[in-house]
Amino acid sequence: MLTRQRKELLLRLLKEEGQIVAKTLSESLGLSEDTIRRDLRELAKEGLLQRVHGGALPASPAQGNFAVREKLSTDAKPAIARAAAAMIAPGQVVFIDGGTTAVQLARALPRDLRATVITHSPSVAVELVGHEYIDVIIIGGRLFKHSIVAMGAAAVEAVSQFRADLFFMGVCSLDPQAGITTGDFDEAAMKRALSAHAQRTVVMASPEKLGTAAPFQIAPLATVDHIVVNRGVDDALLAPYREMGIEVTLA
């Protein structure tokens, strides 16, 4: 089998099965595991998949910039945001992440809600200007223009001053084995810090992010308390999270 044919086969199998296990595939195709791994590395360099331990997962389509991601799952994100907003009780202190779903969450908060929102997202902060009873604290740092959020050492240090009841996290990818991942090293560190200083972490995941992986792990799934996903998601995709004791809300 030619290299081109092998790669086309790998991409087709990845699309059909949702993952590739190099050892299993090498046995079924009669090819060496080294050959399969080499092909996967080359496909990963082209951005066609994401390498993970033992094989590969689909690359997340949510690694584009803010403007590109705004066009993804335009129906699912507002529903997810409304379900997440309903989790906030009056008087709570809440971290809200950056990203397109986080902006939708800010828009979904009731106008009479009395709470404190801490965010490193200028976009989220601006959405909350008209909420009279919400105190907004902005974490500053270097602006990561890709996601329109503040990041860097100063931002991570600032997070340590707070203790939040909830952290609403946006992610590029979510997978039972790969955990929660994103496309930037510093962004992963910022999300990890926010999660560490919140009593509960709620992951908001639109459908295109499930069963995919990005290069940088934010944290293992053991740090996640709750996942909010769209109601149309196949229950088989959600079963592993429930088995881990993670609460799942269908929006």
Side-chain angles (χ1 to χ4, degrees):
M1 187 181 297
L2 299 175
T3 300
R4 176 182 57 80
Q5 293 173 317
R6 287 200 311 271
K7 290 181 177 179
E8 288 175 352
L9 175 60
L10 290 174
L11 291 174
R12 187 170 71 251
L13 291 173
L14 183 60
K15 183 176 181 180
E16 292 173 354
E17 301 179 12
Q19 65 176 351
I20 288 175
V21 179
K23 180 177 176 58
T24 302
L25 190 59
S26 69
E27 293 171 352
S28 65
L29 295 180
L31 297 169
S32 74
E33 199 169 335
D34 285 342
T35 298
I36 298 294
R37 292 182 186 279
R38 184 177 65 249
D39 288 344
L40 293 177
R41 283 196 299 270
E42 291 175 1
L43 289 167
K45 287 180 180 178
E46 298 175 42
L48 298 174
L49 52 78
Q50 179 63 49
R51 291 276 287 116
V52 296
H53 181 70
L57 288 170
S60 173
Q63 293 189 61
N65 62 30
F66 193 94
V68 170
R69 286 181 283 124
E70 276 190 312
K71 300 174 183 177
L72 297 174
S73 296
T74 54
D75 293 331
K77 289 177 182 178
I80 290 169
R82 289 191 295 271
M87 298 179 186
I88 303 174
Q92 286 190 320
V93 176
V94 178
F95 286 139
I96 296 183
D97 204 352
T100 55
T101 309
V103 169
Q104 292 289 341
L105 170 56
R107 290 174 183 168
L109 295 181
R111 292 284 172 170
D112 60 349
L113 177 65
R114 294 179 182 270
T116 297
V117 169
I118 304 165
T119 184
H120 63 308
S121 166
S123 302
V124 168
V126 169
E127 288 291 339
L128 295 174
V129 168
H131 286 70
E132 182 180 359
Y133 305 111
I134 295 180
D135 289 327
V136 181
I137 299 173
I138 304 175
I139 295 173
R142 178 180 61 84
L143 182 65
F144 182 41
K145 296 179 181 179
H146 175 276
S147 299
I148 318 180
V149 291
M151 294 198 318
V156 171
E157 183 179 356
V159 173
S160 66
Q161 301 175 35
F162 305 105
R163 294 293 183 274
D165 297 295
L166 295 167
F167 170 36
F168 291 97
M169 181 193 291
V171 295
C172 278
S173 301
L174 182 65
D175 179 78
Q177 282 73 48
I180 42 178
T181 54
T182 192
D184 182 86
F185 178 78
D186 288 333
E187 190 172 28
M190 186 66 182
K191 292 174 186 289
R192 194 158 48 244
L194 289 163
S195 180
H197 288 87
Q199 288 187 15
R200 291 176 59 82
T201 294
V202 180
V203 170
M204 302 179 294
S206 46
E208 76 278 359
K209 300 173 183 178
L210 297 172
T212 69
F216 301 100
Q217 187 183 66
I218 299 165
L221 283 167
T223 65
V224 175
D225 300 285
H226 205 125
I227 298 171
V228 185
V229 297
N230 185 259
R231 188 172 296 276
V233 172
D234 188 341
D235 193 62
L237 286 174
L238 303 176
Y241 305 110
R242 292 192 174 105
E243 291 169 4
M244 294 176 191
I246 299 172
E247 190 172 352
V248 177
T249 292
L250 301 179

